[in-house]
Amino acid sequence: MDTTKKRIMTGDRPTGKLHLGHFVGSLSNRVKLQDEYNEFIMIANVQALTDNFDNPSKVADNIKELIMDYYSVGIDFNKAHVYIQSEVPQIHEIFVYLSNFVTIQQLSHNPTIKTELAQKKLEESTPLGFFYYPIHQCADILCVSADLVPVGKDQAPMVEDAREIARKFNSTYKVNVLHEPQALFGVEQNLPGIDGNAKMSKSLNNCIYLSDDDETLKKKIFSVFTDPSRVHATDPGKIEGNVAFIYHDYFNTNKKEVEDLKKRYKEGKVGDVEVKEKLFVALKTFLDPIREKRKEAEAKLPELLSTVISTSKEVSIEASKTVSEMKKAMKINFH
Ligand code: TRP
């Protein structure tokens, strides 16, 4: 393992295919950062089971989807460490040790937990696995001694928790074993869904997937939320909050065309159909090479999987160093 580069740690739960929101929000940055940093990308299959314990095939199948999605956007499995959580059981061991440093009250007030419990209507019957999830994530981060964790605003508390727990552990045993990570802000952004919701999200059913075919893509683009107050193509339209134009800004490389469309839209000189037809072409141009690479990934999936398994082994060795230092500090090392 390269020790000269700073370590970045991120991950995804394998619960579905990745979409444009993931691309804008995190994947494109992971690709950019994989040269400069020692990048750890974890497939959080154990945590995905929390919501899907009765449907393990779903999680197992989605590991493959995730690997193909990663490959298709340009994540290089020889640069970034892509690994599977369940192959690094030290994470669970570290989690148990960390759990002494967090109170039940603290977890009950955790904003992410509160929001998710309300969304899933689980306040009255919270599975323990769901409740301790924030601490388990701290173990993910601390086990590889991450320097940086790229997060959007909503995930910032996770990094703060990891820092606090690391500090408490170190000060309690007067050691310097757990490394305090820092949040890397500003690289995570939200892309709105096709329905105009601020976030593209599988559960909202408003996604364009990286692996959508042209027909699906076209259908979705023609349902994209534009300016609801505009009835006729001759009415002056609004650009702000108009999802079609937000997508144009992100994905259409022909900036002149976008400026011309915006100008005519504001003047009431272009219809939604032309805006969307051009958006379809832009997105097709953007997605074609990604879908091409996905086919490549499909063909060499066994090879990619075996790389992921051997990387997981390396990460596991790395994590066992952390475990061993922690055990020494807690006087439970007997070897
Ligand atoms: N919670 C992330 C998700 O919902 C996945 C994840 C698990 C993660 N552990 C992490 C992200 C540690 C960053 C750091 O997909």
Side-chain angles (χ1 to χ4, degrees):
M1 287 255 165
D2 191 330
T3 50
T4 57
K5 291 178 180 173
K6 284 205 169 192
R7 293 183 171 194
I8 285 204
M9 147 86 226
T10 61
D12 301 290
R13 279 174 295 171
T15 51
K17 294 180 177 189
L18 299 183
H19 50 66
L20 289 179
H22 291 115
F23 184 88
V24 168
S26 57
L27 295 174
S28 58
N29 279 300
R30 291 184 195 170
V31 175
K32 267 188 226 140
L33 300 171
Q34 66 186 349
D35 289 301
E36 194 185 333
Y37 291 92
N38 201 353
E39 193 166 60
F40 292 77
I41 303 177
M42 187 186 74
I43 300 176
N45 64 331
V46 177
Q47 287 160 1
L49 279 171
T50 306
D51 282 340
N52 299 284
F53 64 92
D54 51 354
N55 191 3
S57 311
K58 179 180 159 192
V59 177
D61 292 344
N62 278 319
I63 290 178
K64 293 177 195 154
E65 297 293 340
L66 208 49
I67 288 174
M68 291 190 284
D69 279 332
Y70 286 165
Y71 185 88
S72 75
V73 296
I75 286 175
D76 182 339
F77 288 56
N78 294 312
K79 288 182 186 160
H81 308 289
V82 179
Y83 61 102
I84 298 180
Q85 187 173 40
S86 60
E87 289 291 294
V88 186
Q90 290 81 3
I91 292 169
H92 316 314
E93 188 175 359
I94 292 174
F95 157 74
V96 172
Y97 303 145
L98 297 182
S99 65
N100 290 334
F101 293 88
V102 185
T103 65
I104 291 175
Q105 284 71 17
Q106 273 172 323
L107 268 180
S108 328
H109 294 132
N110 182 299
T112 320
I113 288 288
K114 266 186 164 168
T115 324
E116 288 203 32
L117 286 181
Q119 269 169 11
K120 296 178 182 165
K121 304 207 181 338
L122 282 176
E123 291 100 330
E124 302 298 318
S125 57
T126 311
L128 183 58
F130 180 75
F131 192 64
Y132 69 55
Y133 175 51
I135 318 303
H136 205 259
Q137 287 200 118
C138 293
D140 297 333
I141 297 169
L142 296 173
C143 83
V144 293
S145 306
D147 296 298
L148 293 166
V149 183
V151 284
K153 285 220 166 61
D154 51 340
Q155 295 230 328
M158 162 175 79
V159 185
E160 206 35 63
D161 288 346
R163 291 171 61 80
E164 198 180 317
I165 292 179
R167 260 198 309 270
K168 277 191 189 160
F169 184 94
N170 290 342
S171 73
T172 303
Y173 303 118
K174 301 191 176 46
V175 291
N176 192 11
V177 167
L178 296 180
H179 182 65
E180 274 186 54
Q182 270 177 349
L184 182 61
F185 287 119
V187 297
E188 303 267 304
Q189 302 176 31
N190 279 345
L191 185 74
I194 57 172
D195 60 352
N197 194 294
K199 200 169 177 175
M200 190 176 274
S201 145
K202 183 164 66 83
S203 54
L204 297 171
N205 198 18
N206 63 5
C207 303
I208 294 174
Y209 292 95
L210 296 173
S211 49
D212 275 347
D213 59 24
D214 278 346
E215 201 187 322
T216 315
L217 180 65
K218 192 159 224 166
K219 234 190 261 157
K220 288 182 179 174
I221 285 179
F222 274 85
S223 74
V224 159
F225 182 86
T226 52
D227 176 355
S229 61
R230 190 172 186 247
V231 184
H232 308 289
T234 48
D235 297 343
K238 247 184 32 203
I239 306 292
E240 300 79 41
N242 187 318
V243 178
F245 281 105
I246 295 175
Y247 291 175
H248 265 297
D249 279 337
Y250 271 111
F251 301 105
N252 192 340
T253 51
N254 185 348
K255 296 300 164 208
K256 252 192 167 152
E257 177 177 278
V258 178
E259 284 322 304
D260 168 63
L261 282 175
K262 282 184 182 171
K263 185 168 167 285
R264 287 195 288 136
Y265 199 81
K266 282 189 271 194
E267 294 168 353
K269 289 186 178 150
V270 63
D272 274 13
V273 172
E274 187 183 338
V275 172
K276 288 179 172 179
E277 263 163 5
K278 293 206 155 97
L279 181 59
F280 171 71
V281 174
L283 273 173
K284 180 173 158 49
T285 310
F286 171 79
L287 286 175
D288 273 344
I290 293 177
R291 292 183 292 202
E292 225 17 73
K293 279 207 85 174
R294 202 173 202 283
K295 274 195 211 131
E296 218 181 278
E298 242 173 270
K300 56 191 233 183
L301 188 57
E303 189 191 317
L304 290 173
L305 262 170
S306 101
T307 306
V308 169
I309 300 300
S310 64
T311 301
S312 305
K313 187 82 213 154
E314 285 175 50
V315 175
S316 167
I317 291 169
E318 199 61 22
S320 59
K321 292 182 197 160
T322 309
V323 168
S324 157
E325 293 290 310
M326 289 177 85
K327 289 176 85 169
K328 242 188 258 166
M330 294 179 292
K331 306 202 184 301
I332 53 171
N333 61 319
F334 295 101
H335 305 282

